[in-house]
Amino acid sequence: MIINYIKKYKGFFYSLLFSIAIWFIAFLLIPAKPVESIKPVTIFFILGCYLSLVTGFLCFNFKTKPIEFKQKPRTTFYLNILLIILVLSYLLRWFDLFWIRELSFFNETIENRAIKDANSSSSGWLFVIASIIKSIYFFPFIFVKKLKLKSAGYTVILAYALLLFPWVEAILLGARKPFFEVFLIVIITYLLFKTQKIKLKPFLIICFSFFLLMSVSVVLLIKREHEVAKHKVAFFDSILKSRYNDLLKPTDEAENYFYSKDNNELIKYYALIGLHSGQYISHGVFEFNHIIDKQDLQKTNGTYTFFPIINFFNKFNISEPIVLNNPSPRSYVYLTAFGSFYIDFRWLTLLAMFIFGVFQKYAFQKSKHSIIYIPILIYLLLINVFLPITNYIRGIGIYPFVAFSFVLSLYKLIELNQKNKVS
């Protein structure tokens, strides 16, 4: 009975198991050692969060009715509307970045980041809304896969093309996260919709795609760090003395390998990105471990994780301005999801995780009968994967939930209007 239940909701349980497995694999494989020992309270808190999340998922069931998106032509109509909205959102976003803020592919990424941050307050409400809506760029792709649309029409082509749209901004700013996000969304979608065993060809494609992503990551990292390091220190030195190394330090053997002139440069670059990625995956736990017993750590009551919402209210004077700050002693955001929520809620995080588990159960059961919930379900699974790495919903990670609420409301309004016409 338990096995059947796990199979029924395998996406939820597998995503949690994968999150734990990928953290341990990364930590065990990289040639790096923690500077501070893991405290028992850190382990207890993280285990408590996982247990609360699972308990919330297990404790509730929701009644659902198979009434939405039953007919493929009707679904395609909604999909086309969503595609138009998303394309317009990206066009507005690019107009904001290239025309108003004057970012350019000819600038160095560090310069583009500085320009973007300096002019962040110049964007009007329309550009802010566009920035939020564009965050669900992956929704059409998931709808196409679920509906098994295989024609070469503009709907399918545009749905796939939208997966590449976030890469424009990623290249401008030297960010690697969007590349891996798209990769993981595609993989999760494939696994969720495929019940048979993965065959050799798809597996090889996945491996090759991952290799390409690693290559892109190498190029972006080299470009970005060279821009920073050219006026300061050597490239490898800048990476090996970055913030990740403060609490998860590479071994002496690893440092000697990278500093040695006898080793192949290209292999060293790939090895470095492997080390860098492994540190990115695993060091958040040690960042959280570093702050968990700080007596003077400020409690932020949700403003640390959900600061974009506060920024929105502050920007347009909707309410009395709320002062935002980062109370983390090291000022970094890589504290795992648990560490981020700990700053906000302390031990009430366990309750927050319980509620999050309940919400995931609701999304799972709604997605069985309503296709519109499937993309947000896949996004929830993505969040699960990143739980011990970083808080995926902190900052702009909250945008897909806001945009999903907009899409769901729009759908309900259209449906209500159709019913009124019929009656």
Side-chain angles (χ1 to χ4, degrees):
M1 185 175 180
I2 296 176
I3 294 176
N4 291 334
Y5 189 86
I6 291 174
K7 285 183 177 179
K8 184 177 181 181
Y9 298 106
K10 61 183 179 180
F12 172 76
F13 293 104
Y14 288 0
S15 64
L16 295 181
L17 289 173
F18 183 72
S19 72
I20 297 170
I22 195 174
W23 187 91
F24 273 105
I25 290 171
F27 176 64
L28 293 174
L29 289 183
I30 60 171
K33 295 181 179 180
V35 174
E36 300 176 358
S37 299
I38 289 287
K39 302 161 189 171
V41 66
T42 303
I43 298 173
F44 182 74
F45 188 87
I46 292 175
L47 287 177
C49 286
Y50 272 112
L51 288 173
S52 295
L53 182 62
V54 173
T55 302
F57 190 88
L58 295 175
C59 285
F60 285 83
N61 281 297
F62 298 91
K63 294 181 179 180
T64 57
K65 296 180 181 179
I67 57 173
E68 293 133 326
F69 284 19
K70 291 187 292 184
Q71 300 175 346
K72 186 176 288 188
R74 193 169 181 81
T75 306
T76 306
F77 168 73
Y78 291 117
L79 176 56
N80 289 333
I81 292 177
L82 180 59
L83 284 169
I84 292 170
I85 292 173
L86 284 170
V87 170
L88 289 175
S89 296
Y90 267 99
L91 290 176
L92 282 170
R93 176 62 173 175
W94 292 337
F95 180 79
D96 180 28
L97 293 177
F98 290 108
W99 185 262
I100 296 179
R101 305 197 204 190
E102 299 182 340
L103 274 67
S104 171
F105 288 116
F106 298 103
N107 296 338
E108 294 183 344
T109 56
I110 191 171
E111 182 182 353
N112 280 331
R113 289 185 176 208
I115 294 172
K116 177 177 174 289
D117 293 339
N119 298 325
S120 60
S121 61
S122 62
S123 300
W125 63 270
L126 186 60
F127 297 111
V128 173
I129 292 175
S131 184
I132 294 172
I133 297 298
K134 75 177 182 62
S135 67
I136 56 172
Y137 66 91
F138 55 91
F139 275 39
F141 164 75
I142 295 170
F143 290 148
V144 164
K145 297 300 290 182
K146 178 61 178 177
L147 294 169
K148 299 179 180 179
L149 301 179
K150 297 179 180 179
S151 67
Y154 75 90
T155 299
V156 175
I157 294 173
L158 194 53
Y160 277 82
L162 272 169
L163 294 177
L164 306 179
F165 280 27
W167 294 5
V168 173
E169 193 167 341
I171 294 171
L172 274 174
L173 303 176
R176 292 170 289 163
K177 179 182 173 183
F179 293 94
F180 287 95
E181 178 180 270
V182 171
F183 175 76
L184 286 173
I185 285 173
V186 171
I187 295 298
I188 294 172
T189 303
Y190 178 85
L191 293 175
L192 202 64
F193 293 158
K194 296 286 183 179
T195 55
Q196 67 268 30
K197 294 180 180 179
I198 297 178
K199 298 179 181 179
L200 179 61
K201 184 178 177 181
F203 177 75
L204 292 176
I205 292 174
I206 290 171
C207 292
F208 180 69
S209 300
F210 185 74
F211 174 77
L212 286 179
L213 280 174
M214 289 294 289
S215 300
V216 169
S217 188
V218 168
V219 172
L220 290 174
L221 180 66
I222 291 172
K223 184 177 185 297
R224 190 176 71 192
E225 294 301 327
H226 267 308
E227 291 170 2
V228 176
K230 67 182 181 181
H231 300 303
K232 296 180 181 179
V233 292
F235 170 67
F236 284 107
D237 201 39
S238 69
I239 297 294
L240 293 172
K241 292 182 178 178
S242 66
R243 59 191 180 187
Y244 294 158
N245 302 278
D246 294 343
L247 297 173
L248 190 58
K249 185 176 175 58
T251 61
D252 293 337
E253 292 81 2
E255 290 191 355
N256 291 335
Y257 172 81
F258 290 115
Y259 284 130
S260 174
K261 295 181 180 179
D262 298 330
N263 298 315
N264 182 278
E265 286 292 306
L266 182 60
I267 295 177
K268 285 198 319 189
Y269 280 132
Y270 275 95
L272 185 65
I273 201 65
L275 171 63
H276 197 64
S277 299
Q279 285 177 296
Y280 173 82
I281 290 171
S282 54
H283 91 109
V285 169
F286 301 101
E287 293 282 354
F288 175 41
N289 182 68
H290 179 71
I291 69 164
I292 192 169
D293 58 357
K294 299 290 183 184
Q295 297 297 321
D296 58 345
L297 185 66
Q298 179 188 351
K299 183 181 177 184
T300 48
N301 299 311
T303 60
Y304 180 75
T305 299
F306 305 107
F307 71 86
I309 298 174
I310 308 300
N311 266 335
F312 180 83
F313 281 88
N314 287 350
K315 183 182 178 69
F316 299 107
N317 298 316
I318 297 175
S319 62
E320 286 293 321
I322 299 174
V323 178
L324 296 171
N325 56 36
N326 183 352
S328 176
R330 284 168 48 76
S331 301
Y332 300 148
V333 298
Y334 307 105
L335 297 167
T336 75
F338 314 117
S340 183
F341 278 104
Y342 178 81
I343 288 178
D344 276 327
F345 308 117
R346 294 298 191 269
W347 287 90
L348 283 177
T349 299
L350 300 182
L351 176 60
M353 285 294 162
F354 179 86
I355 296 171
F356 188 46
V358 175
F359 177 69
Q360 291 203 42
K361 184 63 165 290
Y362 177 79
F364 255 99
Q365 294 187 327
K366 287 291 289 185
S367 69
K368 297 294 183 182
H369 301 298
S370 176
I371 191 175
I372 200 170
Y373 282 88
I374 294 177
I376 204 66
L377 170 62
I378 289 176
Y379 188 67
L380 287 168
L381 299 181
L382 184 66
I383 292 170
N384 286 349
V385 170
F386 278 90
L387 284 175
I389 302 170
T390 187
N391 189 354
Y392 210 79
I393 64 173
R394 184 177 187 268
I396 62 173
I398 197 68
Y399 284 1
F401 293 105
V402 179
F404 169 70
S405 300
F406 165 77
V407 170
L408 186 60
S409 300
L410 180 64
Y411 161 71
K412 295 292 186 183
L413 285 173
I414 294 174
E415 283 293 288
L416 183 62
N417 185 52
Q418 287 293 113
K419 287 180 181 179
N420 291 335
K421 285 183 178 179
V422 172
S423 61

